[in-house]
Amino acid sequence: MERIKKIRNFCIVAHIDHGKSTLADRLIEKTGTLAKRDMQEQLLDSMDLEREKGITIKLTPTRMLYTYQGEEYELNLIDTPGHVDFTYEVSRSLAACEGAILIVDASQGVEAQTLANAYLAIDNNLEILPVINKIDLPSARPEEVKKEIEDVVGVPAMDAPCISAKDGTNIDQVLEMIVKQFPSPKGDENGKLKCLIFDSFYDNFRGAICLIRVFDGKVKVGDRIKMMHTGKVFDVTEVGIFVPFSKTVDILQAGDVGYLAGSIKNISDIEVGDTITNVDNPIETPLPGYKKVQPVVFCGIFPVDGAKYNELKDGLEKLKLNDASLEYQPEVSQALGYGFRCGFLGLLHLEIITERLEREFNLDIITTAPSVYYHVFKTNGEMLELSNPSSLPNPVEIDYIEEPVVKASIYAPPQYVGAIMELCQEKRGIYKDLTYLDSNRVRVNYVLPLGEIIYDFFDSLKSRTKGYASLDYEMAGFERSDLVRVDILLNGEKCDALSIIVHKDKAYTRGRALTEKLKKIIPRQLFEVPIQAAIGSKIIARETVSAMRKDVLAKCYGGDITRKRKLLEKQKEGKKRMRKIGSVEIPSEAFMSILKLDDDDNK
Amino acid sequence: MLGVYIHIPFCERKCLYCAFSSFVNKKDEGESYLSHLLKEINNFENKNNEEVDSIYIGGGTPSLLELEELDRIFKKLHEKFKISFDCEISIECNPNSLTKEKLLGYKSLGINRLSIGVQSLNDEDLKFIARLHNRAMAIDAVKKAKECGFENINCDLLIGLKNANTEDFLNQLKTLLDLGVTHISAYMLQVEDGTPLQNLVKQNADLLPSDDECVEIYKKATKYLQKYGINKYEISNFALKGYECKHNLKYWSGENYIGFGLSAHSYIDGIRFANSNNFKDYYAQKLALKEKLTTKQLIEEHIMLGLRCCLGVDLDYLKSLNYNLEKNENLIYFLEKNIIYRENNRIFLNQDYYGINNYVIIKLMP
């Protein structure tokens, strides 16, 4: 049989917790790719953080060998992240496959992300193989779930394997179906080189590494290659595959999934979705679907201890090596001193980066409230692009402001349409249209300000639709909006790191909520501390933290001085996480509290 | 001059708030404890042959001891130490175990200071914290002590019990002062881990008066006592001039003291040590703690103890330990705001800010 006919490139998609990573582990184990003793639970999620959160962030492709009817097949599994922040990365990974396994939990049935992910796969023309998982649970109802998949997703599911990834039941059946049902890649190994970059990472010794899918032609060490969008040219120094650890091979050819290294020093030279071709024998048009990834959410990151600025800088530099989508530049705040303004793909991305800074680099950091990017048109005709509320010019100098908006598509069962529209209205959305996909599914389209989405849109949507709605969105340019900056004054002094930009209609409620929240967070001080919210010089809300009255250890008992000293030393440690703004001490979590406002309101 | 502390870890009953080292098993453990205590005193090596000028018998409830038992302890102390002629000798006692016979016995043993665990003169509160006496018994105990010729009498009171508001508390003070009490220890009730009181507070957060109310009572009480010429000389201690507790001042000024008995703490020539707080280990002479203070700890303790009491903090002493507190920006701020005041080379906490003592101390620690 022809080489390419024995390749299957596929991914696994699922609603969260339906068992994606567990199935991946079983496949690797069953094909003998790794001996059982080498298996670490959920092998593909390689970062601690991912394992802890149970979500996959970084993609790790794995080649497995599987013998079916006397023929050895090469199965390439490309794992995908399942969060809206990374939709583009997922879509590129899907573009590298011919098939997708759609896992559905046998008791929970079809859920929001089942559908969103299935559609994403269908959009990429993938063959879908439904798999019913967790049949070991007493509440499993595989037959009903199969019918649900057919009715709701619209994919035949009567022959879907019923498995328990946990127990290893019927894994063979899945492997067989992969071979039988998924098409082999099409492509001409003798044609001109055409590869898709679907991910990248940085290796200290080999430089930046591209994870690629070869569509046409072949690539080997010594070839001169060109990134078609960035225009960069490199000499290939290594090609290889993952089993699941990296292993060099002589050549990668049409249909293969693997990696390529070329002494690429800067990860920014590799863009996910870019097409690689051969310099000497190039193709004319790159693969479709490429987008330049741009950060959409921004925040300030500062070290709690000002002296740790350089360590923070090192940390960001190291993370950037592996993550081209992370952006940062130095920033100075009156309140927080020297730090960085950082850009992210979304809130989850932001959360991951800040957690990694704290964990992997052992840094205590302060994060300011996330913000989007604004276009500020000044009366003198100038246009400023800014994401930092404190850079906003004086109101009299501003002609108008534009904020980024997104085209949002929300999928949900019809009974939630009312709730969804109410939410979108609250979030300043503009209704576009509503489509019944079938009797169980509608799609509601809205144009929404990105600034509203990054607060708590996703969580509110989930809670108002019992988790059934799924959200997808894409950037849709900038629109003029009536925005103002709300400042926070502590003891009469403006704290720049607490300023936010909000729509005028929401300024009062936000200002009030913010002062109330800060009152809860800021501990009592020597003197009474007024907390005020202001637009310009106009105070719109006020709370007061009354003066501290009692902080004393009453009894020095029987000469036990040691205990008392230790208590004070401990208390002193706690004070280290405080920041002094003027004469007011505030705990570092106060700066993120702005983000959590809406969560509290909903409770 | 050396101070001697002796711990008697027995009570008739545990109070609701008590996290101290005390047990209700004197009947079973008493004799064996006493013999180990005497052995410990006997084994003590008084290296510098220091004279003793304060003895403090605390607990628990030392007044549970029979006179004969106390006599054995004092015989041993006299055998072992040179005791100065003006030595302050205190004993803690509970109102319900004080009899005239006992009081006269104390006199003859040389005890010259009584510390009576009144805690409150509010019967509701006394019941609430599970004391064995009531208001009448407490008043009677003070009267008896006076009749037996005791001049130097302290009464312990708790601020922050359930029923005593400011007025009630000030009335309690008046009653005691009119009886001729010379010293008041007024402690703000602290809810300690593992006490029955902590459980009650967990179930009902509003059970006790708020911090603000406690501080209010504390401040009013300070002012009230001043009118009687009874001045605050430590966070919780108030005395007529000349009646300050010499023994307690030793703890705060960094002088040597030796503690005998279960869980007793000692400080001798820069080394702190403590006996174990369980009988088995104590009998086996196992220490619970032994630490030689580092320079940093010496500094911290000096600041902590000095700002808690009338002794203040000696800036020159800190300088000799290489800590220049004068340069500390927090101190400059506190001086400016009159939270701390300075006399020559010493700084003192302004009385109005005793309630936030910890906060100030932490700000000045290295």
Side-chain angles (χ1 to χ4, degrees), chain A residues 274-480:
Chain A
D274 201 350
T275 307
I276 295 178
T277 191
N278 193 300
V279 174
D280 303 322
N281 188 15
I283 49 167
E284 300 289 314
T285 36
L287 289 157
Y290 166 83
K291 269 201 294 191
K292 179 136 184 80
V293 181
Q294 267 167 339
V296 292
V297 177
F298 301 83
C299 77
I301 297 182
F302 297 84
V304 169
D305 174 1
K308 298 264 174 79
Y309 173 82
N310 281 321
E311 285 161 51
L312 175 61
K313 191 170 161 220
D314 282 357
L316 283 167
E317 262 166 21
K318 294 216 171 81
L319 290 179
K320 169 86 182 167
L321 281 180
N322 251 324
D323 185 348
S325 52
L326 169 68
E327 279 187 7
Y328 63 92
Q329 60 188 64
E331 180 183 8
V332 187
S333 154
Q334 275 174 334
L336 299 176
Y338 290 93
F340 295 91
R341 188 92 198 149
C342 305
F344 308 92
L345 297 178
L347 283 185
L348 180 70
H349 188 212
L350 180 155
E351 208 180 302
I352 290 163
I353 295 291
T354 50
E355 273 199 52
R356 290 187 69 187
L357 283 170
E358 297 205 309
R359 266 185 217 205
E360 293 169 31
F361 300 93
N362 206 12
L363 289 162
D364 280 337
I365 55 174
I366 296 174
T367 316
T368 63
S371 150
V372 298
Y373 216 62
Y374 298 97
H375 288 168
V376 181
F377 293 86
K378 293 174 72 177
T379 44
N380 64 5
E382 253 183 273
M383 196 269 271
L384 299 175
E385 293 184 28
L386 58 89
S387 70
N388 188 346
S390 61
S391 325
L392 199 68
N394 199 320
V396 296
E397 294 173 35
I398 298 172
D399 185 8
Y400 64 95
I401 303 175
E402 285 181 350
E403 65 177 334
V405 294
V406 298
K407 262 194 254 170
S409 303
I410 298 159
Y411 296 82
Q415 63 264 40
Y416 298 113
V417 166
I420 292 167
M421 292 177 79
E422 198 180 71
L423 174 66
C424 291
Q425 226 65 44
E426 280 169 30
K427 299 289 181 183
R428 301 191 280 129
I430 295 161
Y431 171 78
K432 288 293 165 193
D433 56 46
L434 184 149
T435 320
Y436 277 82
L437 303 170
D438 59 42
S439 58
N440 287 314
R441 253 333 105 158
V442 292
R443 181 180 61 213
V444 193
N445 285 331
Y446 263 87
V447 170
L448 283 156
L450 180 65
E452 296 288 344
I453 289 207
I454 65 165
Y455 279 108
D456 69 333
F457 189 83
F458 203 59
D459 291 340
S460 303
L461 182 66
K462 291 270 156 182
S463 69
R464 293 193 198 190
T465 60
K466 302 200 165 68
Y468 269 99
S470 59
L471 166 73
D472 187 30
Y473 61 80
E474 57 180 278
M475 302 301 295
F478 282 75
E479 268 177 26
R480 198 165 157 159

Side-chain angles (χ1 to χ4, degrees), chain B residues 233-258:
Chain B
Y233 69 101
E234 194 256 4
I235 288 192
S236 311
N237 287 285
F238 304 80
L240 265 182
K241 198 160 172 50
Y243 285 86
E244 294 86 2
C245 176
K246 235 198 261 182
H247 187 80
N248 276 339
L249 281 167
K250 275 195 187 333
Y251 293 153
W252 308 325
S253 61
E255 283 178 63
N256 286 348
Y257 55 89
I258 172 75

Side-chain angles (χ1 to χ4, degrees), chain B residues 275-329:
Chain B
N275 290 337
S276 165
N277 62 2
N278 71 67
F279 289 100
K280 197 167 148 267
D281 286 350
Y282 169 61
Y283 295 163
Q285 300 173 13
K286 283 190 194 154
L287 289 182
L289 165 96
K290 182 168 186 180
E291 59 175 6
K292 178 154 178 45
L293 293 183
T294 63
T295 307
K296 183 164 176 278
Q297 287 167 338
L298 281 172
I299 294 168
E300 285 173 354
E301 287 198 354
H302 182 70
I303 295 172
M304 169 179 107
L305 297 170
L307 287 183
R308 287 176 66 86
C309 69
C310 60
L311 297 169
V313 171
D314 183 344
L315 296 175
D316 290 344
Y317 170 69
L318 291 180
K319 240 180 241 167
S320 76
L321 295 173
N322 268 328
Y323 184 54
N324 191 351
L325 190 56
E326 274 169 288
K327 290 267 167 66
N328 182 301
E329 57 177 31

Side-chain angles (χ1 to χ4, degrees), chain B residues 66-81:
Chain B
E66 301 299 331
L67 282 172
E68 170 269 329
E69 292 170 316
L70 263 180
D71 188 47
R72 281 158 67 193
I73 295 173
F74 274 97
K75 278 216 175 79
K76 182 56 77 186
L77 289 174
H78 281 284
E79 193 182 304
K80 191 73 194 171
F81 295 102

